[in-house]
Amino acid sequence: MKIDVKKLKEIVGEDNVRDNIADLYVYSSDASVHSSKPDAIVRPGNVKEVQELLRYANKNKIPVIPRGAGSGMSGQTVPLSGGIILDMKRMDKIIEIRPEDVICKVEPGVINDELNMQLKPYGFFFPPTPASGKICTIGGMIGNNASGIRSVKYGATRDAVIGMKVVLANGDFVTLGSNTKVDSSGYQLAKLMVGSEGTLGIVVEATLLISPLPKFRAMGVANFATLEDAGKMISNVIAAGITPSMLELMDKVAITAVNNAQNLGLPDVDAIAVFECNGMVKEAVEYDMKRIKEICKRNNGTGIRVSDDPDEMTRIYEGRKKLFPSLSKYSEGLFTTALADDMAVPMSKIADTVHEIHEIAKRNNVVMSAYGHCGAGLIHTKILMDTNKKSQWQGAKRAVKEVYEYVQKVGGTTSGEHGIGFSKGPSFKQEKKDSLEMMRAIKKALDPNNILNPHKLMDSPDDWLTATHLRYQVKP
Amino acid sequence: MKIEKKELIFGVVYLATKNKHLKKHEKEMNMCIRCAYCFEECPVIKETQWDTDGARGKIIMSYGLLAGELEPSQYIADKLFRCTFCRDCLDKCPSKVGILEIISSARADLVEAGYASDTHKHVINNIKNTGNIYGDTEVISQEREGKTPLFIGCQYLGRPNKTKKYIKILEKLGINPVIENEICCGYPMEVLGFREDFEKHKENFQKSFPYKDAITLCPTCTVFLREGYDIDAKHVLQVILEKLPKADLGTKVTYHDPCDFSRGLKIIDEPRKILEKLGVEIVEMKNSKENSRCCGGGGGILMTDQDLSGNIARKRIEEAIETGVDILVTSCPTCEQVLKKAAQEISETEGKSISVRNIEDIIWQGLKKGAEDS
Ligand SMILES: Cc1cc2nc3c(=O)[nH]c(=O)nc-3n(C[C@H](O)[C@H](O)[C@H](O)COP(=O)(O)OP(=O)(O)OC[C@H]3O[C@@H](n4cnc5c(N)ncnc54)[C@H](O)[C@@H]3O)c2cc1C
Ligand code: SF4
Ligand code: SF4
């Protein structure tokens, strides 16, 4: 594949194209374990430039990989067969905020938290709350259908996207969806774009539903001697019709990691649940918290604490917040890898799944911790291992396979939040085996030359481990 | 092509020592999960918007150099020297990667591979030849007999009037500083990648400043005396706060936290308490204290990338102007210099003005006013 860098520079300007080996190397990875170099990086500044770039790439059958902050954990922006990385961060305008219609319109390079900062004076916020919200772009959130700790109440990005402007593979420009919350006008193509990981079109504008900022908030924590009790508590809360704004679980490995690294003195129990309710009416929030407390007690919860004091709430959340850095310091020589990181299972299966994850980790000589937005059925895990050791990668590969087999057995899904990329390709293809051809037909209709983020989702390689280089000094 | 023996020896030695500084960070680099959290407030990536310019990009390039997947080049050196050492990424990194140590080591390897900039070489030679960054044998500390060791540092040595003011303040507060014929602490050697020179310089420094504790004037020297020499360095503002009498200056200012204070030494309250004691009201900028924004003057970019440095500084001045006050106070001579220049440019181009002053001026003014009032 020969890329005409001069032509790219004509389209977007000299300063917005890079092909130095150092830049290509930096853009060869994201937050996943993989690495593969692009041939050029291009930063379009407007829709016309995106259209021209795609016309050029389509004519010359050059892969184009849209990229926001590159914080995806499954290799979504790793260019498996080279091509052009389309860095969308320059298109970062908030086009309009319409509180009266409860919507806003933004370009794809807008950072999630920046949008929230601009919405705050209007008394609104954009509800999907990915932990990476301080740096991730709306385009990337749309690509992955991102969500976060508040998904239990507000849903994921797909629930908040109602309209979109998209440049297709051939450079055509289309407007999808509407400006209204309800829309029964045929195929919901804007929603289809959400979670398509840059394989169907380049999002150049999005119409988003926004929510009023809640006036009251309270937070609580409870300890459980067994995972079963914690799991039951979570199911019971949701089944009771309570809609917490957060319902999180930390397992024993996670608790130990936080204690080892931060000396927070969390109790030596099998599970800790952290919950939050928010709303416009104080009494309603208090009522829901009271009910959650009762459910915790019924399920043998101990050390139950509830507070609406901001400092106390920060303290309660501290353990959960410090979990991530703690994991990377869990044990000398073990490093955090983003593998099998965000499956979702039916609520009643949470405890069993976490148990099984621990067994699988033990069997395969890696460390796995489980935590996450269990109120939405979402379990995060991280595999901790010596990333320079070949045998550890083989163990990790087996562990990933076994975890997903179990998740599918209990009726869960491969990714609840972070997307598929190609790290999760094998499990995704297994899970969705009878709809893969449908997906391929949609892809072919919109991108017949297969230039948009190829080799991802249904077209991902069968072996994630050997699909391309790992970004570590090891050849498994 | 015939290879000269000398070249061959150089080649063998170079290969044997290649990346010797980065080698010790391999594990640390594996801890980087490439999450990009370090983008959040990095002043450089905010300006350029290229991933290569953020901490993640720098760690990835360093890893590439160590792994042999990238070869040292001027391009990579330019990128690795584009960092103000503002420490913001250290605060944001969830994995607590030692980002600045890795960048320093990458710089050291690049310098040893022959990619030092002429400007940086010039400064280092100045230190080696004259003991200060200016290369001026006239720039010397006025030795002074006294009790408490005071380390002045190059930035204040080059600004003798400011130094005198601090000494007068200390005297007035009953502190009797002893001043040696000091030489540079060597921080520029470490931060600009001249590690071999620093190792030699270290010994000379310790001879010229043989103390275990000291009062310091410059925030960066304070950090470096602590981290590089294990000297119990106390910044002069910490000392002043303990002894400063009250005054009523009745002014309103905004305060810019130098990065080595806000994120390095966590000296956040002391300057504010001093200003409060002097009857100065502080109107905080949108980003202040731990979240203070960099002035653009650190890490060597002031010497090699003045446009970038100026753009960062102008953003900070815009923020200061947004507070609606007329005076911006800071406590670092480099911040003062960079911000003054930016303020002047903004005043000329946009007609908006703010005056930039160093905190010692305000303290001196307060002491004089206090004396007059009583
Ligand atoms: C530490 C950490 C914590 C995280 N926490 C969460 C979390 O809580 N919840 C969560 O959901 N995710 C999380 N993630 C994953 C990731 O950060 C998010 O999914 C995020 O939304 C991705 O945004 P980005 O800008 O980095 O996108 P990128 O990674 O750059 O891209 C993501 C996908 O979107 C596509 N894309 C980007 N821009 C466009 C566009 N304009 N048009 C079409 N396609 C586009 C890309 O091709 C890619 O397939 C986390 C990641 C890390 C490293
Ligand atoms: S120290 Fe500051 S300038 Fe350097 S990479 Fe970190 S945030 Fe960016
Ligand atoms: S924040 Fe830390 S872990 Fe994340 S990319 Fe930056 S250096 Fe790496």
Side-chain angles (χ1 to χ4, degrees):
Chain A
M1 172 192 4
K2 182 94 186 74
I3 290 185
D4 184 353
V5 173
K6 208 169 128 234
K7 170 81 185 160
L8 299 177
K9 287 183 178 171
E10 274 166 24
I11 299 173
V12 291
E14 177 92 27
D15 287 347
N16 293 308
V17 179
R18 291 264 174 95
D19 64 343
N20 185 286
I21 178 77
D23 293 298
L24 303 180
Y25 190 73
V26 167
Y27 280 84
S28 67
S29 62
D30 50 15
S32 71
V33 296
H34 316 286
S35 161
S36 177
K37 281 200 281 293
D39 295 286
I41 306 126
V42 181
R43 304 189 308 180
N46 55 48
V47 178
K48 222 171 132 257
E49 287 177 3
V50 177
Q51 287 184 282
E52 267 190 72
L53 285 166
L54 285 192
R55 276 185 206 119
Y56 164 75
N58 198 38
K59 190 166 150 219
N60 295 284
K61 299 195 171 48
I62 298 167
V64 174
I65 300 94
R67 171 166 162 135
S71 70
M73 288 174 139
S74 314
Q76 286 93 329
T77 57
V78 174
L80 277 173
S81 51
I84 298 169
I85 291 269
L86 216 59
D87 182 335
M88 301 300 289
K89 287 197 291 292
R90 270 182 76 216
M91 292 182 66
D92 63 353
K93 278 193 269 315
I94 294 175
I95 299 161
E96 58 175 342
I97 295 173
R98 288 166 39 185
E100 66 284 8
D101 293 323
V102 206
I103 60 171
C104 69
K105 292 184 186 252
V106 300
E107 287 188 335
V110 169
I111 306 288
N112 176 71
D113 275 20
E114 178 61 33
L115 174 60
N116 279 324
M117 232 149 65
Q118 301 300 326
L119 290 171
K120 202 172 172 190
Y122 297 88
F124 282 84
F125 78 113
F126 180 52
T129 314
S132 52
K134 285 196 156 83
I135 49 96
C136 76
T137 64
I138 300 296
M141 288 174 69
I142 291 174
N144 287 352
N145 186 26
S147 58
I149 51 166
R150 310 226 186 275
S151 53
V152 57
K153 176 164 181 171
Y154 298 97
T157 302
R158 186 176 283 121
D159 301 301
V161 175
I162 53 170
M164 213 181 264
K165 289 183 176 160
V166 176
V167 174
L168 299 174
N170 61 5
D172 283 357
F173 175 81
V174 290
T175 304
L176 311 174
S178 68
N179 292 312
T180 56
K181 187 169 178 174
V182 287
D183 178 351
S184 291
S185 311
Y187 294 159
Q188 299 296 302
L189 296 179
K191 303 268 183 200
L192 172 66
M193 286 288 160
V194 185
S196 66
E197 300 187 3
T199 60
L200 298 181
I202 309 295
V203 180
V204 288
E205 188 185 308
T207 305
L208 310 172
L209 283 174
I210 52 180
S211 291
L213 277 165
K215 287 202 168 67
F216 301 97
R217 193 162 83 90
M219 205 177 246
V221 65
N223 309 322
F224 295 89
T226 68
L227 271 166
E228 286 69 24
D229 283 342
K232 269 194 218 133
M233 171 266 185
I234 288 167
S235 302
N236 289 174
V237 167
I238 303 298
I242 305 170
T243 314
S245 45
M246 174 169 124
L247 187 46
E248 296 277 309
L249 185 83
M250 280 164 78
D251 75 347
K252 203 176 177 74
V253 178
I255 297 165
T256 313
V258 174
N259 276 341
N260 283 355
Q262 317 279 348
N263 210 9
L264 280 188
L266 299 179
D268 182 23
V269 288
D270 259 15
I272 295 181
V274 185
F275 44 92
E276 182 201 72
C277 290
N278 67 14
M280 293 298 180
V281 181
K282 192 161 187 260
E283 289 72 20
V285 171
E286 282 168 356
Y287 179 67
D288 278 348
M289 288 303 275
K290 201 169 128 233
R291 289 171 68 207
I292 296 182
K293 236 169 107 175
E294 279 159 13
I295 294 172
C296 286
K297 270 193 213 144
R298 255 204 330 268
N299 288 291
N300 309 315
T302 56
I304 305 166
R305 267 192 300 152
V306 166
S307 174
D308 58 2
D309 168 48
D311 290 344
E312 175 69 358
M313 286 198 284
T314 310
R315 263 195 302 278
I316 291 177
Y317 195 45
E318 201 73 344
R320 172 64 180 89
K321 255 190 5 207
K322 289 193 170 158
L323 174 58
F324 201 67
S326 306
L327 283 176
S328 62
K329 301 257 182 198
Y330 176 76
S331 174
E332 178 72 23
L334 294 188
F335 303 103
T336 311
T337 55
L339 292 169
D341 47 316
D342 69 324
M343 49 276 190
V345 294
M347 217 96 61
S348 61
K349 305 290 186 212
I350 285 172
D352 289 350
T353 309
V354 175
H355 264 309
E356 188 61 24
I357 286 169
H358 290 161
E359 289 304 313
I360 290 171
K362 231 183 280 165
R363 265 204 308 273
N364 292 294
N365 200 24
V366 291
V367 177
M368 289 179 84
S369 86
Y371 57 98
H373 328 314
C374 294
L378 194 284
I379 303 174
H380 280 312
T381 63
K382 292 278 173 299
I383 296 189
L384 307 181
M385 62 171 163
D386 181 347
T387 45
N388 280 0
K389 243 194 199 155
K390 202 170 155 173
S391 61
Q392 287 262 281
W393 283 98
Q394 295 303 335
K397 183 175 163 180
R398 283 192 303 272
V400 167
K401 186 166 178 282
E402 289 172 26
V403 166
Y404 285 134
E405 277 168 2
Y406 184 82
V407 166
Q408 283 176 31
K409 200 172 88 189
V410 298
T413 188
T414 305
S415 171
E417 195 171 85
H418 297 163
I420 301 298
F422 67 100
S423 302
K424 296 172 204 156
S427 167
F428 172 75
K429 289 195 289 187
Q430 177 61 30
E431 180 194 331
K432 307 281 184 198
K433 54 181 178 296
D434 52 5
S435 54
L436 292 178
E437 282 319 310
M438 216 169 134
M439 293 183 211
R440 288 186 184 124
I442 294 170
K443 168 82 172 158
K444 197 156 179 93
L446 293 176
D447 178 17
N449 289 329
N450 194 23
I451 62 159
L452 289 172
N453 208 2
H455 318 295
K456 306 289 158 67
L457 293 166
M458 60 284 171
D459 295 328
S460 53
D462 290 332
D463 184 353
W464 59 267
L465 188 56
T466 54
T468 184
H469 297 291
L470 293 173
R471 65 174 172 84
Y472 305 92
Q473 284 307 289
V474 66
K475 283 198 176 63
Chain B
M1 187 179 62
K2 191 171 170 292
I3 299 172
E4 294 288 328
K5 195 172 162 200
K6 231 168 57 190
E7 276 178 62
L8 195 65
I9 293 171
F10 174 79
V12 171
V13 171
Y14 170 66
L15 280 179
T17 58
K18 195 178 170 190
N19 297 319
K20 78 166 188 249
H21 299 286
L22 273 174
K23 265 188 190 124
K24 58 177 179 280
H25 301 293
E26 189 188 343
K27 278 195 172 160
E28 189 83 14
M29 287 196 263
N30 276 338
M31 270 169 53
C32 168
I33 51 163
R34 306 204 174 171
C35 62
Y37 280 21
C38 45
F39 285 8
E40 189 188 341
E41 288 304 339
C42 170
V44 179
I45 202 168
K46 277 203 166 280
E47 274 308 310
T48 69
Q49 294 270 36
W50 283 107
D51 283 18
T52 320
D53 289 319
R56 176 175 71 175
K58 291 178 168 91
I59 302 286
I60 295 176
M61 280 186 287
S62 303
Y63 196 80
L65 288 169
L66 183 62
E69 289 173 347
L70 288 178
E71 279 305 311
S73 67
Q74 193 54 54
Y75 189 84
I76 294 178
D78 290 347
K79 297 284 154 207
L80 276 151
F81 277 94
R82 282 192 132 188
C83 166
T84 68
F85 273 56
C86 73
R87 296 169 181 263
D88 198 86
C89 51
L90 295 180
D91 277 5
K92 303 295 185 312
C93 175
S95 307
K96 298 289 161 235
V97 176
I99 298 165
L100 296 189
E101 282 137 43
I102 294 170
I103 295 178
S104 297
S105 287
R107 287 179 172 192
D109 284 331
L110 286 160
V111 165
E112 283 168 32
Y115 294 100
S117 84
D118 288 341
T119 333
H120 291 166
K121 275 194 237 167
H122 182 68
V123 172
I124 302 306
N125 279 332
N126 286 348
I127 301 175
K128 290 203 289 197
N129 296 334
T130 65
N132 63 58
I133 56 173
Y134 310 103
D136 185 345
T137 46
E138 301 289 308
V139 178
I140 46 167
S141 43
Q142 299 302 319
E143 286 174 71
R144 183 184 190 283
E145 301 269 328
K147 261 175 89 179
T148 318
L150 176 71
F151 183 74
I152 293 171
C154 295
Q155 294 297 345
Y156 276 93
L157 283 178
R159 296 165 174 87
N161 287 341
K162 284 179 177 296
T163 312
K164 272 187 209 143
K165 207 170 266 173
Y166 260 137
I167 294 171
K168 279 207 286 192
I169 293 170
L170 287 173
E171 281 169 347
K172 238 184 156 65
L173 298 177
I175 295 158
N176 185 13
V178 48
I179 302 174
E180 299 288 349
N181 182 7
E182 65 175 50
I183 58 170
C184 172
C185 66
Y187 173 75
M189 290 171 159
E190 171 61 22
V191 79
L192 299 178
F194 292 76
R195 286 221 172 129
E196 280 180 11
D197 290 316
F198 176 60
E199 283 314 311
K200 288 180 206 145
H201 180 85
K202 207 169 169 177
E203 229 173 88
N204 296 338
F205 174 82
Q206 279 162 330
K207 273 188 212 143
S208 75
F209 197 78
Y211 298 105
K212 277 276 126 221
D213 46 48
I215 298 178
T216 43
L217 301 185
C218 162
T220 307
C221 295
T222 318
V223 179
F224 201 61
L225 291 200
R226 287 189 193 181
E227 289 176 359
Y229 297 96
D230 215 10
I231 293 174
D232 183 10
K234 216 170 181 190
H235 189 266
V236 68
L237 293 183
Q238 297 177 298
V239 178
I240 290 173
L241 176 63
E242 285 168 21
K243 310 215 173 229
L244 188 70
K246 283 192 171 178
D248 186 13
L249 288 175
T251 44
K252 242 190 206 175
V253 306
T254 188
Y255 176 74
H256 165 80
D257 300 82
C259 300
D260 280 324
F261 266 5
S262 53
R263 287 178 286 268
L265 300 163
K266 310 280 178 219
I267 298 184
I268 293 168
D269 292 339
E270 291 90 332
R272 289 178 169 78
K273 282 188 182 154
I274 287 178
L275 291 171
E276 235 170 70
K277 252 185 165 176
L278 297 173
V280 178
E281 189 189 327
I282 302 174
V283 182
E284 296 288 358
M285 283 184 255
K286 194 167 103 203
N287 299 293
S288 67
K289 303 183 180 174
E290 296 88 346
N291 297 323
S292 178
R293 298 287 181 265
C294 178
C295 73
I301 71 161
L302 190 54
M303 290 179 255
T304 46
D305 216 331
Q306 285 179 6
D307 286 347
L308 177 64
S309 170
N311 290 345
I312 298 171
R314 276 190 293 279
K315 285 226 169 93
R316 190 61 178 156
I317 288 293
E318 298 277 7
E319 240 188 79
I321 290 172
E322 270 171 34
T323 61
V325 301
D326 302 327
I327 303 169
L328 166 70
V329 176
T330 186
S331 39
C332 163
T334 310
C335 296
E336 184 190 1
Q337 174 194 331
V338 175
L339 292 172
K340 250 186 188 150
K341 184 162 172 262
Q344 195 183 337
E345 281 165 9
I346 288 183
S347 154
E348 283 163 10
T349 53
E350 296 171 35
K352 296 186 276 189
S353 73
I354 190 159
S355 113
V356 179
R357 297 179 64 187
N358 203 308
I359 196 161
E360 73 260 0
D361 290 340
I362 313 281
I363 299 173
W364 183 242
Q365 212 183 322
L367 281 175
K368 278 204 314 201
K369 175 106 188 342
E372 280 162 19
D373 291 349
S374 60

